[in-house]
Amino acid sequence: MTLSARIVLAGEAAGPVVATSEGLSFWGGVDPATAKVIDVHHPLQGVSVAGAVLMMPTSRGSCTGSGVLLDLALNRRAPAALIFCESEDVLTLGALVAARLFRCGVPVVRLARPVFDRVAKAGRVAITEAALVADGEAIALTPPAAGVLGLTDSDRAILAGGQGLAAQCAMEILVAMAASQGATSLCSVTRVHIDGCIYASPANLRFAEEMVAMGGRVVVPTTTNAISVDRENWRAQGVPEDFGAPASRLADAYVAMGARPSFTCAPYLLPDPPKAGEDIGWSESNAVIYANSVLGARTVKHPDFLDLCIALTGRAPLSGVYLPDNRRPQRVIRIAAPAAVDDAFWPMLGWLVGEAAPDRIPVVLGCEGLAASTDDLKALCAAFGTTSAAPMLHVAGHTPEASLPPVDGADAVTLTVDDFRRLWALFNAAPEKVDLIAIGSPHASACECRFLASLLPESRSLATALIVTAGRTTLAEIERDGTLGRLRAAGVKVVPDLCWCSISEPVFPPTARVVMTNSGKYAHYGPGLTGRRMRFGSIAQCVEAACSGKAPATLPDWLGAG
């Protein structure tokens, strides 16, 4: 029997209802300092979630949202409670860590859709451990799922403290999350990618250093996401000490626990990427979506903090897309693709597909005749993650599991050229004069850097700043083949460790007011993260703008003038 109202994380709370039908990424979507929604594309933009009973179907976007929620909780700016009607992990995990480690949890409730829709119309909600009261109407709450979780002897030993206090705490959190997800067992993973090393808030540092103090040590190969400073050069770059020091300490904490200082948001570009069918424990939304969709590896979109728990134990809840049947498409999206496209097409497709499938795995039909590089698919997956909560998508002709049969009852949506024109206008509403070109969200690959270098004129100086962010492994590769030297000779600034979604002033030029990017992900998040206006286009259009100081005024040929 389907339960109409269940407690996910117990607690008592009351507050005014702030309801939305659209998922929200707390990272890039909510300002930790004010608790206001800063995602310019979201209906709640400008609304404060502090003290509110926040209702939405589920969250979306970045895994770092759990850290933002923890920071809000620690500083008494969190929502009074969270109410969802679909499965949700990122904010739930942030609330769980706040309760277990810092005793400042946020109650989480899941309602069946009809009940959710009714409660969303209320002005005020109160939650106890027995009932939810919406404008005087009492709705009985079922206690948190207790389920029987099948643990191995090794799991039980960790839970009993046999591997130390940090691993014990990690296993306690894993067991609680497994119950929330309805998992009946844990699975072993071969590798982990940590997203929590981004200094999204002081809460990220507080959690990591707490785990270090408890003796935390990773037990499987673990890579680290892009961080918030150029680790070796931030002082020379003029980054303020009150930001640079804690951001660097956060990176140091994860390295101290045995994580590799890879500092890239594109771990699939590292040597020896995961293989099809391999169970991994990755965080960072674009990396998760790429691993599942393009590589055929298996990982849930693990929230920040849970990624470390998995690394400390080598175990993850066996749920979601770890299970083969849960990887089947739930929505069919058809598109009449143009005969020829440039690299701007793929991030736009990802964003639109995510908008059309915000809460389920889609399969895209109609792009079989187009060539797509691994960089195109990287851009597609990153943009998809900004508008969808799903951990993967299928694209017929381009991803390995696109032939999986859709689930029974899967519906269909059609995207047209008008949808692309609408998005182009949305991404290019800023003035044509640009002050900064941003390449590398996610981190630029060696191929992208070589292509960029090939487009830069040898005898013409750039009219505006052009900055590329890339991982250390990529930088070493393009330094060996001379590409890095050509980029720098042309006036391009290449920055390691950071990515555009974690960059801050003064590395981000303070005087820049309009930014142009080839990234659908950054075009989406950039306005909220930076307070700047954005333009979007292909790499070639970005180079054109870098040389002229103006973004191209016309649509790309594949969009046409009609």
Side-chain angles (χ1 to χ4, degrees):
M1 181 179 71
T2 301
L3 296 169
S4 62
R6 178 186 288 282
I7 297 170
V8 176
L9 188 62
E12 296 191 356
V17 171
V18 172
T20 176
S21 61
E22 186 175 320
L24 174 66
S25 173
F26 265 44
W27 179 90
V30 176
D31 181 358
T34 65
K36 288 185 177 180
V37 176
I38 56 173
D39 182 345
V40 300
H41 305 291
H42 198 277
L44 293 181
Q45 183 196 6
V47 175
S48 173
V49 300
V53 175
L54 180 61
M55 299 184 63
M56 55 184 166
T58 186
S59 66
R60 71 178 186 197
S62 176
C63 303
T64 306
S66 51
V68 175
L69 180 65
L70 176 59
D71 188 73
L72 291 169
L74 289 171
N75 291 287
R76 299 185 180 181
R77 290 189 287 266
L82 297 166
I83 300 179
F84 306 109
C85 61
E86 299 168 9
S87 61
E88 198 286 331
D89 288 344
V90 174
L91 300 179
T92 301
L93 191 281
L96 176 61
V97 170
R100 291 292 178 96
L101 265 68
F102 304 108
R103 299 186 180 181
C104 56
V106 176
V108 181
V109 171
R110 188 175 303 161
L111 303 178
R113 172 62 81 167
V115 182
F116 179 93
D117 291 342
R118 192 166 75 246
V119 173
K121 297 174 184 176
R124 187 174 180 83
V125 159
I127 296 170
T128 70
E129 296 195 3
L132 179 153
V133 181
D135 284 352
E137 178 192 2
I139 300 167
L141 291 174
T142 302
V148 177
L149 185 63
L151 298 178
T152 66
D153 290 343
S154 176
D155 294 333
R156 293 190 188 92
I158 296 172
L159 199 55
Q163 300 298 322
L165 189 57
Q168 180 183 33
C169 178
M171 184 59 79
E172 289 173 351
I173 292 172
L174 284 167
V175 167
M177 279 300 290
S180 169
Q181 296 169 355
T184 57
S185 64
L186 306 179
C187 65
S188 295
V189 301
T190 57
R191 63 183 92 192
V192 171
H193 182 67
I194 296 286
D195 185 55
C197 52
I198 291 179
Y199 189 63
S201 71
N204 292 69
L205 176 60
R206 188 168 172 182
F207 171 80
E209 291 191 335
E210 186 83 10
M211 286 301 204
V212 171
M214 289 192 290
R217 189 77 185 174
V218 305
V219 297
V220 292
T222 300
T223 51
T224 44
N225 201 39
I227 56 176
S228 299
V229 289
D230 177 345
R231 192 162 173 241
E232 272 78 46
N233 301 301
W234 62 268
R235 284 190 175 87
Q237 293 164 343
V239 175
E241 187 77 18
D242 61 357
F243 178 81
S248 185
R249 277 171 51 199
L250 178 59
D252 293 345
Y254 281 100
V255 173
M257 287 186 280
R260 174 182 170 188
S262 52
F263 303 143
T264 179
C265 53
Y268 41 81
L269 296 178
L270 296 170
D272 186 32
K275 297 175 177 59
E278 183 179 345
D279 287 341
I280 62 176
W282 276 14
S283 192
E284 183 3 276
S285 60
N286 99 83
V288 167
I289 295 166
Y290 189 96
N292 282 314
S293 307
V294 180
L295 301 180
R298 296 185 295 229
T299 178
V300 169
K301 189 168 76 172
H302 295 297
D304 287 14
F305 309 143
L306 197 67
D307 49 12
L308 179 62
C309 295
I310 296 169
L312 295 177
T313 61
R315 304 283 278 168
L318 182 58
S319 63
V321 291
Y322 283 120
L323 302 169
D325 201 51
N326 290 344
R327 300 172 72 87
R328 294 169 60 190
Q330 299 157 299
R331 177 162 289 163
V332 177
I333 297 180
R334 296 186 174 89
I335 174 174
V341 298
D342 62 19
D343 53 275
F345 170 81
W346 296 99
M348 293 178 70
L349 176 65
W351 195 97
L352 289 168
V353 169
E355 181 186 51
D359 56 358
R360 64 198 66 195
I361 297 170
V363 59
V364 181
L365 307 179
C367 298
E368 293 88 335
L370 297 178
S373 68
T374 54
D375 289 319
D376 292 329
L377 297 177
K378 171 166 72 82
L380 169 98
C381 292
F384 175 76
T386 67
T387 49
S388 180
M392 67 184 299
L393 75 162
H394 305 288
V395 184
H398 299 286
T399 60
E401 296 174 88
S403 61
L404 286 173
V407 300
D408 294 341
D411 56 3
V413 173
T414 298
L415 295 177
T416 70
V417 68
D418 286 339
D419 292 304
F420 283 87
R421 290 178 182 140
R422 168 178 61 86
L423 181 58
W424 185 268
L426 180 69
F427 277 176
N428 286 285
E432 291 180 16
K433 182 181 181 302
V434 297
D435 308 303
L436 171 65
I437 310 298
I439 306 293
S441 178
H443 273 167
S445 69
C447 289
E448 285 176 299
C449 291
R450 293 181 191 115
F451 181 56
L452 177 65
S454 73
L455 296 175
L456 292 167
E458 295 182 5
S459 57
R460 184 178 175 187
S461 61
L462 299 181
T464 189
L466 197 165
I467 301 177
V468 177
T469 61
R472 294 180 173 200
T473 300
T474 295
L475 291 182
E477 181 178 346
I478 64 172
E479 184 171 29
R480 287 192 297 269
D481 68 15
T483 300
L484 182 59
R486 291 196 297 275
L487 289 172
R488 287 174 171 165
V492 177
K493 185 176 182 180
V494 185
V495 181
D497 300 348
L498 294 156
C499 80
W500 283 101
C501 288
S502 64
I503 202 169
S504 60
E505 296 181 8
V507 181
F508 184 106
T511 58
R513 291 293 172 263
V514 177
V515 182
M516 185 169 182
T517 183
N518 68 323
S519 165
K521 177 176 182 177
Y522 196 50
H524 180 95
Y525 285 131
L529 289 171
T530 68
R532 271 70 165 196
R533 301 186 68 185
M534 304 294 293
R535 301 280 304 199
F536 168 83
S538 66
I539 288 184
Q541 289 173 317
C542 286
V543 170
E544 180 183 342
C547 294
S548 68
K550 289 186 176 182
T554 58
L555 292 170
D557 291 342
W558 58 270
L559 269 181

